[in-house]
Amino acid sequence: MSTVPPQDEYVHQDYPRNEETAWKENWYFNFIDRENNAWGINHISLERHKQTGRFSAFHVVDGEILMYLNYVPLTEDFKEITDGKLRVEFVEPHKEFRLTFDGPNHSVDLTYLARFDVFDYAVKGDETLKGDMSSMSISHYEQALTVKGTLTKDGTSRPISCLGHRDHSWGYRDETNIAGWNWIAAQFPDKTINVSQVRVGGLPPMSRGFVSEAGGNTGIRKIKIVSTERNEGGIPVSSVFEAIDESGRAWTLTSRRFSGLVLPLSEKGKDVVVYENFSDYTLAETGEQGVGIDEYLDNPG
């Protein structure tokens, strides 16, 4: 049973008014269908300090990168999560969601169903995201999903049937002071393993995560990034992560990039880049194979 109130799925109207501090509400949905050669991320950010909505759909279909980015002005009572092209609907909070995209080169119509319960960071008393209000102080939850639907390109439709992931956060969020982060959402046949680490200046890394299984969610209390391999262009292509959950179980994950996006984010600071890797995963303890996202933010400044 989720501890997140159903109303928290929707657009929050209790954001601070007339402030210049970065206050955002973000929704994220991904899908990775290796069999049908299509994967991608969908992201919406309501930047309330600017009253601007940022809608993005970055998809890879048959090896072709299809990128959509749009900014729209927001009204104070903005409620429907759509810019007219990309839309997210909450059919049943915590259980079923529909994402549609009608882009210039392709379209998708995807139904997401809960695979495991929502993991709410607040329930575990996690204060790692409760920094000062000018940098990172957010409410945040994530959830593993199954995905079914269709993708249409060049007049031809293909089925989408795979695993996916979502997250939702809202609050004070300013990434310009962040030196770097790692975020992985690895999907295995019977579990999801989520690991993240945020590094701000000389402060100790903020590490968190969870494991979702049929029996419920278990928080992760210790994370170590053992190594990262980069190609000659500086793009990270593989990492090894070690995590210990609250039950004392060890999880050692190796990622291996099979596709990816390089997203310069000048609005977050000079030379800031996010590497959005679609990766295969190996769980060392069992030898299990999985698939998921392996995301890096680099801020050389």
Side-chain angles (χ1 to χ4, degrees):
M1 187 72 177
S2 175
T3 58
V4 177
Q7 62 266 27
D8 273 345
E9 295 274 46
Y10 304 97
V11 177
H12 283 78
Q13 301 297 332
D14 56 348
Y15 61 90
R17 264 67 170 179
N18 304 317
E19 284 196 21
E20 294 183 359
T21 304
W23 197 99
K24 303 176 185 178
E25 182 161 19
N26 295 345
W27 293 265
Y28 167 100
F29 288 82
N30 70 39
F31 67 99
I32 303 175
D33 191 337
R34 297 292 301 276
E35 184 175 341
N36 290 299
N37 209 16
W39 41 85
I41 60 174
N42 307 278
H43 189 267
I44 296 99
S45 181
L46 307 185
E47 301 179 347
R48 287 301 193 174
H49 55 300
K50 300 178 182 178
Q51 283 295 54
T52 299
R54 183 181 188 273
F55 289 75
S56 58
F58 302 147
H59 300 163
V60 182
V61 183
D62 298 330
E64 181 182 0
I65 296 174
L66 303 169
M67 303 185 72
Y68 171 82
L69 176 62
N70 187 34
Y71 293 89
V72 299
L74 302 177
T75 59
E76 284 209 356
D77 60 348
F78 183 89
K79 292 180 181 178
E80 284 191 85
I81 307 175
T82 182
D83 68 337
K85 295 291 185 181
L86 177 62
R87 176 184 294 270
V88 173
E89 301 173 63
F90 299 96
V91 180
E92 183 181 355
H94 309 324
K95 298 295 183 184
E96 182 177 350
F97 320 90
R98 185 184 180 202
L99 185 144
T100 55
F101 173 65
D102 184 14
N105 301 302
H106 74 299
S107 62
V108 298
D109 189 339
L110 303 175
T111 295
Y112 289 83
L113 298 176
R115 185 177 176 218
F116 302 113
D117 196 10
V118 165
F119 180 84
D120 181 8
Y121 285 99
V123 171
K124 297 295 182 183
D126 182 2
E127 294 299 318
T128 58
L129 288 181
K130 301 300 181 182
D132 64 88
M133 293 201 314
S134 65
S135 56
M136 193 76 82
S137 181
I138 64 174
S139 299
H140 178 210
Y141 59 87
E142 301 192 24
Q143 186 175 29
L145 309 160
T146 60
V147 193
K148 286 192 179 295
T150 58
L151 183 150
T152 301
K153 182 177 180 292
D154 298 329
T156 302
S157 294
R158 75 186 71 190
I160 298 296
S161 180
C162 59
L163 301 177
H165 199 87
R166 74 176 182 118
D167 79 5
H168 181 201
S169 64
W170 63 98
Y172 293 95
R173 183 179 180 126
D174 183 0
E175 290 96 343
T176 57
N177 294 324
I178 293 176
W181 74 48
N182 292 75
W183 177 74
I184 71 172
Q187 313 297 334
F188 293 89
D190 63 346
K191 67 178 71 71
T192 288
I193 305 175
N194 176 278
V195 169
S196 65
Q197 186 184 92
V198 179
R199 299 172 291 280
V200 182
L203 298 175
M206 297 182 290
S207 298
R208 56 206 182 276
F210 61 92
V211 180
S212 290
E213 301 165 284
N217 293 323
T218 306
I220 287 175
R221 58 180 172 83
K222 185 177 180 181
I223 295 166
K224 179 181 179 182
I225 301 171
V226 179
S227 63
T228 294
E229 175 189 342
R230 294 176 182 259
N231 65 17
E232 59 185 14
I235 296 173
V237 295
S238 179
S239 286
V240 178
F241 306 87
E242 292 179 352
I244 305 293
D245 72 18
E246 292 173 343
S247 299
R249 295 178 298 177
W251 307 92
T252 305
L253 292 160
T254 299
S255 66
R256 178 63 63 179
R257 177 184 188 266
F258 64 82
S259 177
L261 306 167
V262 179
L263 306 174
L265 296 178
S266 58
E267 71 273 13
K268 299 184 189 300
K270 186 180 184 220
D271 299 324
V272 177
V273 177
V274 167
Y275 300 101
E276 199 79 40
N277 287 355
F278 302 94
S279 296
D280 293 316
Y281 281 91
T282 302
L283 180 59
E285 284 74 17
T286 64
E288 290 175 272
Q289 303 295 307
V291 68
I293 295 291
D294 185 16
E295 180 182 276
Y296 305 75
L297 179 139
D298 284 351
N299 185 357

